[in-house]
Amino acid sequence: MVKKLVSGIIGLMPLPLTLVAVANKGNVPDVFTASWVGVLCTDPLYIGVGIGAGSYSHELIEDNGEFTVNVMQEGFVREMDRLGSTSGRDFDKFEQARLTPHPAKEVKAPTVLEAAISIECKVQDVVRLGSHDFYIGRALATHVDESVLDGDKINVEELRPVSYAADSYWSIGRKLGQVGSGLE
Ligand SMILES: Cc1cc2nc3c(=O)[nH]c(=O)nc-3n(C[C@H](O)[C@H](O)[C@H](O)COP(=O)(O)O)c2cc1C
């Protein structure tokens, strides 16, 4: 194996493809495509999201400190692609994507009604990094559509989430094994 030193490549992949929604004062919430998203702590659950400093959602989250992370099924990949290049400064992005803002339980930011999973988060801390600021959100509520649940677990084959890697969208592939099974 010959490894080349590279720059300008995000080597961490795949990343989750999600929709992050933020409330605004005028009642037209914003929603944008986000892959710089991850689980930071499981108990209590914390979700981090990197938000571009010039974006409209950045302006809104600075104002109200709340967001929701929404996991969409692969049938929504077109909408997610579109919501990753238009700004809520110019459009009502929910309307543009024909998605429905739905009142959350614990935060003012809406969830996306069509999402299979929505996680309501309250910003606890912000790390100022550069092109993006990193928002550390305490998860206050998680909503999961019954159709993707198998008891208390998510059925990934039903969920059909989308991943992002190397400027492309991907569906999840073959299951390799169960955690803790030794994969023998
Ligand atoms: C695949 C993909 C992933 C993206 N991930 C992020 C992200 O994690 N954070 C971010 O701030 N912008 C991300 N973007 C860009 C925003 O979605 C884009 O800047 C959007 O227009 C911001 O909308 P707003 O101005 O309404 O906030 C991503 C775009 C795409 C296409």
Side-chain angles (χ1 to χ4, degrees):
M1 205 185 272
V2 181
K3 289 184 186 163
K4 198 172 165 185
L5 204 55
V6 298
S7 61
I9 285 181
I10 298 170
L12 192 63
M13 59 180 71
L15 296 173
L17 190 73
T18 72
L19 290 180
V20 168
V22 183
N24 87 354
K25 293 185 206 116
N27 248 355
V28 181
D30 195 26
V31 58
F32 70 100
T33 305
S35 285
W36 312 164
V37 174
V39 172
L40 307 179
C41 176
T42 50
D43 188 15
L45 181 60
Y46 279 90
I47 307 277
V49 54
I51 303 186
S55 70
Y56 184 51
S57 38
H58 183 279
E59 193 181 312
L60 298 181
I61 202 169
E62 284 290 309
D63 198 42
N64 58 43
E66 294 176 343
F67 63 98
T68 68
V69 180
N70 301 273
V71 177
M72 310 298 293
Q73 296 180 282
E74 66 183 31
F76 290 96
V77 68
R78 266 197 190 81
E79 286 80 355
M80 289 194 277
D81 186 46
R82 206 164 306 134
L83 290 170
S85 61
T86 55
S87 175
R89 284 198 184 92
D90 309 318
F91 302 98
D92 176 339
K93 288 174 74 180
F94 271 99
E95 195 178 89
Q96 185 195 35
R98 296 208 176 91
L99 294 174
T100 319
H102 186 71
K105 202 166 148 267
E106 303 288 345
V107 299
K108 287 196 195 74
T111 60
V112 177
L113 184 65
E114 293 81 1
I117 302 174
S118 298
I119 309 169
E120 303 183 19
C121 298
K122 190 167 188 59
V123 174
Q124 180 162 315
D125 222 332
V126 187
V127 188
R128 309 283 172 195
L129 296 173
S131 63
H132 292 64
D133 287 329
F134 190 68
Y135 293 83
I136 298 174
R138 170 91 182 250
L140 300 179
T142 299
H143 309 265
V144 181
D145 189 290
E146 279 181 3
S147 69
V148 303
L149 270 178
D150 246 353
D152 60 353
K153 296 248 185 311
I154 306 280
N155 182 325
V156 179
E157 277 158 2
E158 282 296 328
L159 175 62
R160 284 173 286 113
V162 183
S163 301
Y164 166 84
D167 281 334
S168 304
Y169 305 113
W170 304 83
S171 64
I172 281 197
R174 197 162 49 88
K175 179 174 172 178
L176 299 178
Q178 195 75 27
V179 171
S181 70
L183 303 180
E184 303 296 323

